[in-house]
Amino acid sequence: ASYSQGSTRPEISMAVHQCARFCNNPMLSHERAIRRIVKYLSQTADRGIIYHPDPQKGIQCFIDADFAGGWSKADADNPENVMSRTGFVIM
C-alpha cells in the first residue's frame, strides 16, 4: 500500500501513514484498517494517476538526488546536517 500511495494513489496517503506508524506494535484495529485500505483499492482499481506516454517519446523520468545538501564542514559531526533528499517526475 505504501508504494501505491507514493506512486499512483495519493488519496490513501493519510490512511497508509496512520497504519505505518504502528507497524512495530500492530493491533487488531490496524489490521482492520489495512484490510479496509486494500478493499478500497480493489474497488477503485480504475482510479488513480494514469500515465499516457507519447508514443514518439515513451515514458520520460527525471530524477534528482542530493545527499549532502545540508552538510557543512563547521558541523561535520552533527548527524542532522546530512540528509538524503530525492525527487522524481514521470511524464
Side-chain angles (χ1 to χ4, degrees):
S2 182
Y3 175 78
S4 294
Q5 66 91 22
S7 301
T8 61
R9 301 300 296 263
E11 77 271 20
I12 64 169
S13 293
M14 183 63 173
V16 171
H17 170 72
Q18 292 300 319
C19 290
R21 290 178 52 205
F22 300 97
C23 66
N24 287 334
N25 188 18
M27 298 182 172
L28 184 58
S29 60
H30 304 116
E31 179 183 348
R32 289 183 187 138
I34 292 170
R35 288 181 186 270
R36 188 171 180 174
I37 292 168
V38 171
K39 182 179 177 184
Y40 170 78
L41 289 173
S42 66
Q43 292 175 346
T44 59
D46 59 333
R47 298 183 186 171
I49 299 173
I50 301 171
Y51 300 103
H52 297 285
D54 182 349
Q56 302 298 322
K57 297 180 182 177
I59 294 178
Q60 294 179 320
C61 183
F62 301 93
I63 301 171
D64 186 25
D66 184 14
F67 178 72
W71 185 81
S72 70
K73 289 186 179 185
D75 291 328
D77 295 329
N78 186 354
E80 293 180 4
N81 283 341
V82 180
M83 297 180 217
S84 176
R85 302 187 196 290
T86 305
F88 62 92
V89 175
I90 300 174
M91 302 186 330

